[in-house]
Amino acid sequence: MKNLLVTLGLIMSVHASVADITIPTQQHEQTPAYAKWGALAVKETKQKYPDANIVDYLHIGSETKDDTTIEKFKLWLKDDQREFGVIIHITFTTNTGNIIKIDFQETDR
């Protein structure tokens, strides 16, 4: 899972620094559709828990209903006193990608 976080960070860095370079279709297809939502889940979790390190990352899945989609992630965090999970649900308008809400739920599993 650490490799996925590192890869996700590299993809975001490379994309930001070479935005004008065309990515071959085959390589583009390998990037999961949920990657941008995963990056947002990591960013928002770091803001909510600034003293904790993210040690694992899991895309649980997505759920589409009517005109909204919920992307679901589980991040495992560790700080000086404990280890814990955070379930993140990112709800957005399916067609536009506009974020409706981001929910966090701590878990011990």
Side-chain angles (χ1 to χ4, degrees), residues 34 36-42 44 63 68-73 87-93 97-104:
Y34 60 81
K36 81 173 195 176
W37 301 111
L40 180 62
V42 168
E44 294 295 319
E63 178 182 322
T68 61
T69 299
I70 302 172
E71 287 290 348
K72 303 172 186 179
F73 301 90
I87 306 288
I88 301 102
H89 288 180
I90 302 173
T91 305
F92 60 93
T93 306
N98 290 336
I99 298 170
I100 297 169
K101 66 180 177 175
I102 301 174
D103 294 315
F104 297 86

Side-chain angles (χ1 to χ4, degrees), residues 16-104:
S17 62
V18 292
D20 58 334
I21 295 176
T22 303
I23 299 172
T25 304
Q26 185 179 19
Q27 183 180 7
H28 181 67
E29 290 174 356
Q30 293 177 358
T31 302
Y34 60 81
K36 81 173 195 176
W37 301 111
L40 180 62
V42 168
K43 176 185 167 198
E44 294 295 319
T45 301
K46 284 182 179 180
Q47 286 181 356
K48 186 168 180 70
Y49 301 95
D51 296 329
N53 292 317
I54 297 171
V55 295
D56 205 356
Y57 166 99
L58 174 68
H59 177 245
I60 298 171
S62 64
E63 178 182 322
T64 301
K65 185 176 180 183
D66 299 326
D67 62 345
T68 61
T69 299
I70 302 172
E71 287 290 348
K72 303 172 186 179
F73 301 90
K74 181 176 183 181
L75 278 63
W76 195 253
L77 285 72
K78 184 176 182 178
D79 63 20
D80 292 336
Q81 299 174 348
R82 64 183 178 136
E83 283 192 38
F84 60 100
V86 177
I87 306 288
I88 301 102
H89 288 180
I90 302 173
T91 305
F92 60 93
T93 306
T94 305
N95 292 335
T96 64
N98 290 336
I99 298 170
I100 297 169
K101 66 180 177 175
I102 301 174
D103 294 315
F104 297 86

